[in-house]
Amino acid sequence: MAAVGENDDMNVHRGRGRHLVAVTGTLGLVALAGCGTRLPDSAFVRAQQQAVGVAPSADASAGPGADGAIPSGGPQAPGAALGPGGSVPGAQTSTGPGTATGQQALGNRASDVGVTATSITIGNIVSKTNPFDPRAFVGPGYGIQAFVNWTNEHGGIHGRKLILKTCDDQGSGDANISCVHQLIDKDHVFALVSNAILDYAGASYVNSKGVIDMGSQPIDNAYEQYPHLFDIYGEYYPRDGKQVGFNGKLYGGTEVYRYFSRKFPHVKKIAGVVEYNQAASQRFGDSIVQGLQHEGYTVDKKVVNFALPDYDSVAIDFKSKGVQYVYDTIDREGNIRLCKALDDNNVKLTAKVLTPQSWEQSIQSDYSASPQCRNELWVTGNTLNFEDTQYAPVRDFREQMAADQHGGPDQLSEWALEGWAGGQWFADAAASCGANLTRRCVEAFVNSGKPYDAHGLLTSRVFIEPKRPPEPQTNCINVARWEDSRHAWVTQVRNMQKNCFTVRELPYNAS
């Protein structure tokens, strides 16, 4: 397979770009801006808005890569040298986080809130029972649950077991505040890990208490504002607790659009963008239009009525204009209906590009009424494909998800894998502290300025706080395509760590 990217010899590749999630509801649209080329299918629209070693059940808080083997040694005991990205030099198979000996574990102590000699209590908040889409935000919760179970089965972190406390904030800001107080004030969690929060109304309280929020989906802009919040993608914003991004501006790269123009050099660069007639959807849709135009595409933008969308008119117009690529800022149901209209009107595309939030195993059933469009679905992201079990970290994830009874098409997704990756990031940071585990030590690991890749699961990412947006930026992406013949997402790049593009970062309003 010929390489499409560039800058293959660079030492550090960032997976940073535009992040959008679309979620429909009854109160309107909310934009979720962030980083990464993740265009999660739910972010343009905010809706209208102690059992150690086991996944939480009744005990849980209630409440409103490269080719070849990738080291996946997990957090190691003190004395094991950690290589770049937390990988262990020489490791070829997954040995598990719990390689600390009994003697080493004896050195542990109650070194911080939520930490004892034998356990670490962490929390997770997902907007599960929201009024819009019960599948929209659950992926990271499945992933961190699987990682906790797997870690405990392999000895824990430096001899400490993980205790996971969970809370469903129901997609409500008020309920999110209740979850935050439950986990921090009553459950006394050491950190929050792999959150997926629609309305992070409790973020300022989390930050004020110095509680680490790590490896989470940046659906809410809080991750571009507060210094103790670390999303799964890495950031280059000041995060001073005051401004969001750079004075209310976020930045996204054009690497996705450049990838497709290089992948299909003989295909006309004509793209369609579909938006709802709501402010957030249009704001982020317009940012996609800006990026496409910057890369030399002719763009046909279509705004559809959120309440009464006419996708047939969109399809007919795209066909008459010769559109080859379709992007959108609409939700899952909107995409399903759009694809059906494209099939009904025999619109043949080179690629219908989805977001990482739509990188799910349920594609075959979700798009059952549009087989032609279904086989034109592509997705881009910054993480290994959850289908690629030739890599040890993905294989561990899949095996544990199955063991947890979460291995079905409605649970397997890229966001679930990123929930696992968030747990891995936390575990590596915690393991670096040895017996004296503190929040200060964990933050020092994350803020070290060294690129991290979760043992090859992620494109390299880092947290830095520059005074101004860096230009240009080198962003690396993974790409997959749905293939009916294999009933799977099939990776299209040889090495996502080298599928990189030096592009401009274009500004757009955070809100």
Side-chain angles (χ1 to χ4, degrees), residues 12 19 83 135 166 270 343 377 403 411 426 432 480 497:
V12 178
H19 162 67
R135 285 169 48 194
T166 67
I270 305 174
D343 270 20
L377 295 177
Q411 293 90 33
F426 170 78
S432 74
Q497 305 288 0

Side-chain angles (χ1 to χ4, degrees), residues 175-393:
N176 178 260
I177 292 173
S178 296
C179 279
V180 162
H181 282 283
Q182 171 70 36
L183 294 173
I184 293 175
D185 302 335
K186 297 180 180 180
D187 293 325
H188 305 294
V189 299
F190 174 75
L192 299 173
V193 185
S194 298
N195 290 333
I197 299 170
L198 179 62
D199 184 354
Y200 205 168
S204 62
Y205 186 74
V206 174
N207 188 71
S208 71
K209 291 296 183 179
V211 177
I212 304 161
D213 178 339
M214 188 169 176
S216 299
Q217 292 294 336
I219 300 166
D220 188 284
N221 287 339
Y223 294 94
E224 286 85 29
Q225 181 175 5
Y226 294 110
H228 296 301
L229 276 56
F230 303 90
D231 65 41
I232 189 64
Y233 298 104
E235 296 291 353
Y236 57 44
Y237 297 120
R239 296 168 56 245
D240 55 10
K242 300 175 183 178
Q243 60 185 316
V244 174
F246 288 99
N247 298 314
K249 296 284 188 181
L250 299 176
Y251 288 76
T254 61
E255 58 274 10
V256 171
Y257 320 128
R258 187 171 298 181
Y259 167 82
F260 282 105
S261 67
R262 294 190 176 184
K263 175 71 174 178
F264 302 106
H266 303 299
V267 173
K268 291 182 179 179
K269 295 170 69 172
I270 305 174
V273 176
V274 184
E275 309 170 354
Y276 283 135
N277 62 335
Q278 306 223 13
S281 180
Q282 290 184 271
R283 180 167 63 251
F284 290 104
D286 290 349
S287 75
I288 294 175
V289 171
Q290 179 188 22
L292 285 163
Q293 290 175 336
H294 180 78
E295 290 294 329
Y297 288 78
T298 298
V299 182
D300 183 18
K301 184 181 77 171
K302 305 299 294 183
V303 180
V304 299
N305 187 298
F306 174 69
L308 297 170
D310 181 0
Y311 293 113
D312 281 316
S313 294
V314 173
I316 291 168
D317 187 68
F318 282 174
K319 186 174 183 178
S320 69
K321 300 288 179 57
V323 166
Q324 294 296 312
Y325 305 95
V326 173
Y327 298 85
D328 68 86
T329 60
I330 62 178
D331 61 321
R332 184 204 313 271
E333 182 61 29
N335 264 299
I336 292 170
R337 295 173 66 184
L338 172 60
C339 253
K340 186 176 187 310
L342 292 169
D343 270 20
D344 288 346
N345 291 279
N346 197 28
V347 182
K348 296 181 180 180
L349 302 173
T350 299
K352 168 68 183 77
V353 186
L354 297 177
T355 72
Q357 191 185 17
S358 295
W359 196 335
E360 300 173 308
Q361 189 62 42
S362 59
I363 292 297
Q364 188 114 26
S365 58
D366 287 349
Y367 292 82
S368 59
S370 48
Q372 178 174 289
C373 181
R374 187 174 64 234
N375 279 281
E376 294 163 347
L377 295 177
W378 292 64
V379 68
T380 65
N382 312 109
T383 305
L384 286 178
N385 184 353
F386 71 85
E387 306 270 18
D388 287 344
T389 55
Q390 68 268 34
Y391 301 119

Side-chain angles (χ1 to χ4, degrees), residues 23-158:
V23 175
T24 58
T26 57
L27 302 178
L29 278 170
V30 171
L32 314 177
C35 50
T37 45
R38 308 160 289 227
L39 295 175
D41 168 40
S42 84
F44 319 96
V45 208
R46 176 178 261 145
Q48 325 221 30
Q49 314 193 285
Q50 190 161 70
V52 174
V54 273
S57 54
D59 175 63
S61 303
D67 289 338
I70 294 180
S72 178
Q76 301 299 303
L82 291 179
S87 56
V88 182
Q92 293 300 315
T93 58
S94 184
T95 60
T99 54
T101 65
Q103 183 178 6
Q104 290 167 328
L106 287 175
N108 292 344
R109 59 190 181 87
S111 49
D112 208 330
V113 174
V115 179
T116 73
T118 59
S119 67
I120 307 167
T121 301
I122 61 174
N124 171 257
I125 302 173
V126 296
S127 301
K128 182 176 182 179
T129 55
N130 64 76
F132 334 118
D133 181 351
R135 285 169 48 194
F137 305 108
V138 296
Y142 290 137
I144 186 60
Q145 184 180 49
F147 183 80
V148 166
N149 292 344
W150 185 86
T151 297
N152 289 338
E153 289 171 5
H154 290 78
I157 300 172
H158 201 267

